[in-house]
Amino acid sequence: ATSRLLVNYQEPYRSQILDYLFKPNFGASLHILKVEIGGDGQSTDGTEPSHMHYENDENYFRGYEWWLMKEAKKRNPKIKLIGLPWTFPAWIGKGENWPYDYPDVTAYYVVSWILGAKQYHDLDIDYIGIWNERAFSSKYIKLLRYTLDKHGLQQVRIVASDRLWEPISFVLLLDSELHGVVDVIGAHYPGTKTVPNALLTKKKLWSSEDYSTFNDEVGAGCWARILNQNYVNGNMTSTIAWNLVASYYEELPFGRCGLMTAQEPWSGHYKVEAPIWITAHTTQFTQPGWSYLRVDGQLEGGGSFVALTDGLGNLTIIIETMTHNHSQCIRPLLPHFSVTPQKATFYLKGSFRLLHTWQSFKRSCSAFTMRCNVWKGSFSLYLNVDEVYTLTTLKTGQKCGCPEPPPPQPFPSNYKDDFNIRNPPFSEAPNFADQTGVFEYFINSSDPGDHVFTLRQVVVQRPITWASDADQTISLIGNFQWVNMTVTCDVYIEKQRDGGVFIAGRVDNGGIYVRRTKGVFFWVFADGTYRVTGDLAGEEILMKGLSGVRDNAWHTLTLNIQGTSASGLLNGYPLWENVTVSKPSNGWAAIGTRSFEFAQFDNFHVEA
């Protein structure tokens, strides 16, 4: 859920960000886009909607991944697309928190996503994964291959198992049928190393999730080092960064762990971070289909180099001399090593002539500057520490730039959304970041007029989870630094008897930590009671009483938090006041429901 805020950028800024990511010979010029197959569950920084919330439901226009894949393909028709589920809707497991009890159902669900990508968006998915960082089932993988083939999707390749090198490598060596259907072994955060069994399978080896590091100069150093050393040390021919672009509220888990930062759609501000230009050192001078040459790759003074060719006379050499302290990734732990300034001599056989040298260095990993040299036969380079060089026969590299984006601005302190939009470009309202459950635009055709267009929570059973989703649903919005605020929202409980909804302020947590969220929560329930709690779980009760609220009727809730005191209004009249609140001292605004239940929200307004 890391591209959540990107979709809300206005033009021309949104297209500029997409150009930096995907446009060939412009910025990162990415070769691969790997997307989540939304499953209605928390996947690190939020939930992404499923194309099938319920068994009899199909909709290939939810969320923002379809849009993102199309924007990538529009800029680079050759980009490779990968889909991988983190979570699954509840009906897949028929009540169990497990996707493999009915493998035919899971295979049908995943293949329907691939078919929908083609039918509704003309997108060809190149690779499909199994279940992110969770167990795999050999029976399921074989059934997935069978289902793909049955639907004419022989060209879709299978990546397994997006976790560790083992046990998948060992199982592939034992099970020849499974060996025949898995095309790529994908491991996460391998620390540039592989294992003997993985090499014995003779499969393509990928670091299918890596990086995940704050995108400053050290993050850029981490990325430079692993882009080379994943091949040099681990024979991996693909390295995929989580995440593409930091387009989520920065205080959510792993803030700013993207190749660039675009987390302010309200201002238009974004930042092209150093990892974009480190990426360009590889991606602008190679393409999918190029081959790594089997060279030693270790430099005597520390650092590494790789050499790739297209087999048609082109050659690219990428050199990095990153020091330990300038290239630590978030994980795994990096053992100490030393790098010293050195003279490196390269010997070119045959007719290779390297024409261009691109260079980035420690003081600015985003330098990415070019000079013309002609290297042939043998040549020597003086390499300082914390530098990246690309030597290439290609003349196509560019360091492109757009006009400076607008300056940063905090989230608007007075923000309204009435959700009155007949044909929304996306299924979710701008800036709302769902953390459990899914909140979608809804047309309330039975309403006489005031509430035809609303926002509706639509997940009614706990999904097959990947993280610790809350037992309540919640969507965040605003500025984490907010202290004093008034939140107002019209609410409509659909679930009889034990249904309930809330509005909240000073909400302090989300993402994989959503279960431990604290704040000031104002709840009303279908049984005519209300509560004020200091947490999402509803365990820390600050006030409770009767409200007269009922289900299937609209009510207006207002929550006012000033300093250490909070008060609440129902339909404009005071319901409770002078409740003492101490922690947390600041946080987002939020809306949500008591359980996985249908409920609607309208005329949201926050003044902070």
Side-chain angles (χ1 to χ4, degrees), residues 70-91:
K70 284 191 287 191
E71 292 294 328
K73 277 280 185 189
K74 196 158 79 183
R75 287 163 175 78
N76 177 7
K78 291 181 179 168
I79 197 166
K80 301 291 182 190
L81 299 176
I82 309 179
L84 175 67
W86 268 243
T87 70
F88 301 86
W91 62 271

Side-chain angles (χ1 to χ4, degrees), residues 88-111:
F88 301 86
W91 62 271
I92 296 281
K94 301 190 183 181
E96 295 299 318
N97 196 36
W98 191 246
Y100 301 135
D101 286 344
Y102 306 92
D104 52 327
V105 174
T106 308
Y108 158 76
Y109 167 81
V110 169
V111 170

Side-chain angles (χ1 to χ4, degrees), residues 216-521:
D216 58 8
E217 296 294 320
V218 175
C222 150
W223 186 228
R225 180 174 55 77
I226 64 177
L227 275 174
N228 263 20
Q229 295 191 22
N230 277 345
Y231 179 73
V232 172
N233 301 333
N235 227 43
M236 290 165 257
T237 56
S238 172
T239 296
I240 301 176
W242 187 89
N243 55 65
L244 172 74
V245 52
S247 284
Y248 47 100
Y249 291 114
E250 189 172 330
E251 296 82 6
L252 286 168
F254 305 102
R256 268 189 60 188
C257 287
L259 297 178
M260 64 181 285
T261 305
Q263 57 193 19
E264 282 191 24
W266 48 87
S267 72
H269 179 74
Y270 63 86
K271 192 155 179 247
V272 185
E273 310 282 4
I276 289 288
W277 302 114
I278 292 299
T279 310
H281 271 282
T282 295
T283 51
Q284 287 202 20
F285 309 104
T286 61
Q287 286 300 321
W290 282 47
S291 299
Y292 280 91
L293 298 179
R294 291 191 183 278
V295 293
D296 174 358
Q298 307 281 1
L299 293 169
E300 275 181 28
S304 66
F305 72 96
V306 292
L308 298 100
T309 180
D310 63 355
L312 303 169
N314 282 307
L315 174 69
T316 292
I317 299 171
I318 303 133
I319 304 163
E320 61 78 26
T321 58
M322 291 298 146
T323 56
H324 179 275
N325 291 354
H326 192 237
S327 69
Q328 285 176 288
C329 303
I330 197 167
R331 69 179 80 86
L333 190 70
L334 184 61
H336 185 74
F337 62 88
S338 59
V339 182
T340 52
Q342 60 193 302
K343 175 184 170 185
T345 303
F346 294 83
Y347 297 90
L348 296 180
K349 293 187 178 170
S351 57
F352 283 129
R353 290 160 61 90
L354 296 170
L355 301 174
H356 294 96
T357 306
W358 289 78
Q359 182 180 10
S360 295
F361 46 89
K362 180 177 182 175
R363 286 171 301 288
S364 174
C365 273
S366 50
F368 194 58
T369 52
M370 194 267 288
R371 63 177 193 266
C372 282
N373 303 84
V374 179
W375 311 106
K376 57 183 181 178
S378 72
F379 61 90
S380 296
L381 283 176
Y382 289 93
L383 306 173
N384 211 331
V385 300
D386 293 322
E387 293 189 327
V388 184
Y389 289 85
T390 300
L391 300 100
T392 182
T393 54
L394 298 178
K395 303 171 189 174
T396 47
Q398 282 187 72
K399 182 170 185 180
C400 288
C402 300
E404 247 336 84
Q409 297 281 341
F411 192 93
S413 57
N414 190 342
Y415 185 84
K416 290 180 180 171
D417 196 337
D418 60 12
F419 312 117
N420 289 357
I421 177 163
R422 188 169 286 279
N423 295 304
F426 295 98
S427 59
E428 298 155 303
N431 304 317
F432 279 92
D434 305 348
Q435 300 302 314
T436 295
V438 170
F439 295 72
E440 294 179 348
Y441 283 120
F442 182 65
I443 298 182
N444 209 350
S445 45
S446 62
D447 192 88
D450 282 351
H451 300 286
V452 176
F453 299 100
T454 67
L455 193 68
R456 191 187 197 205
Q457 200 295 117
V458 296
V459 180
V460 293
Q461 279 180 287
R462 185 180 183 80
I464 296 174
T465 55
W466 179 80
S468 298
D469 297 42
D471 299 319
Q472 306 74 23
T473 73
I474 179 169
S475 189
L476 309 172
I477 191 166
N479 183 341
F480 187 77
Q481 305 307 328
W482 281 345
V483 176
N484 298 327
M485 65 184 89
T486 302
V487 184
T488 301
C489 194
D490 298 342
V491 298
Y492 185 91
I493 301 168
E494 296 188 46
K495 190 181 182 189
Q496 294 177 347
R497 290 185 301 281
D498 55 355
V501 298
F502 70 79
I503 62 172
R506 292 191 188 170
V507 174
D508 74 342
N509 242 319
I512 47 178
Y513 308 119
V514 66
R515 278 187 85 81
R516 61 174 89 148
T517 299
K518 304 265 190 279
V520 183
F521 292 80

